[in-house]
Amino acid sequence: MLYIPKENLSNPEEAIKDKELVARLEAIMIEWTNQIRDFLSNQENASNREDFDVNEEIEYLESRNENLTYISEQLENRELQDIVHILEKTRSNSENLKGFVNLQSIILDERKKALDIHKFLKILKEPCDNIKKPTSEIKDIPIHLKDIMHKIRVITEYCESFDTPEKVADLVKKVSFQLIH
């Protein structure tokens, strides 16, 4: 959770003149930047798990979407935006400010990307679950695989995040893990 100080920022013109306040706000913004970078780094490490099956990947993306939504909502907070506005007026050339604004953009892009991937991967859930059903027989696997491969084709056609052969291969690998489990 991003810490929002209880400062009186109702008069931005007065706040801009208070150099100590501006310094405190910049220090807080630097802490926000570090928190967001840590979050993104942890998410990247978690997403690089190669042994996820399709259902585990869908669960991971649901959790990621929740986290990105939570951070996005905090970044849209009025008090936080007031602080950024004050810093833009007083520290417009600050590398710290530029880094924070860039991270805001990255969070929004990552959220959009995660939502898109999740939306498309959900179409694989039912056919992958069908393979795992206790009533499913080995002779039914080719039918399920045909359905899965058709849906993978749809995903690669319409989901921008699956635009390279490597990403498609990773998706097929997740289906393979689903078969093995």
Side-chain angles (χ1 to χ4, degrees), residues 78-94:
R78 180 74 185 143
E79 289 87 6
L80 185 142
Q81 289 301 314
D82 289 345
I83 292 169
V84 171
H85 177 73
I86 289 168
L87 292 173
E88 285 172 336
K89 295 275 189 196
T90 58
R91 305 269 206 262
S92 61
N93 293 327
S94 165

Side-chain angles (χ1 to χ4, degrees), residues 24-37:
R24 282 195 313 271
L25 297 178
E26 185 171 29
I28 291 166
M29 185 203 54
I30 291 168
E31 182 58 32
W32 294 339
T33 302
N34 292 334
Q35 285 179 277
I36 293 170
R37 281 190 182 133

Side-chain angles (χ1 to χ4, degrees), residues 58-72:
I58 290 169
E59 289 172 16
Y60 163 76
L61 287 166
E62 287 170 352
S63 172
R64 180 173 170 84
N65 288 336
E66 287 174 18
N67 291 334
L68 288 167
T69 298
Y70 182 66
I71 290 176
S72 296

Side-chain angles (χ1 to χ4, degrees), residues 50-56 124-134 136-149 152 170-181:
E50 292 186 8
D51 60 344
F52 275 4
D53 65 25
V54 173
N55 287 337
E56 290 168 329
L124 288 174
K125 184 164 179 41
E126 183 182 340
C128 286
D129 285 346
N130 287 339
I131 290 174
K132 293 177 72 171
K133 285 183 180 176
S136 184
E137 296 184 24
I138 291 179
K139 68 179 176 71
D140 297 330
I141 290 178
I143 296 167
H144 296 306
L145 283 177
K146 183 177 179 183
D147 186 30
I148 289 169
M149 294 310 289
I152 288 175
D170 285 343
L171 181 56
V172 171
K173 194 183 300 183
K174 290 181 187 319
V175 170
S176 298
F177 281 117
Q178 191 83 31
L179 286 168
I180 293 168
H181 292 121

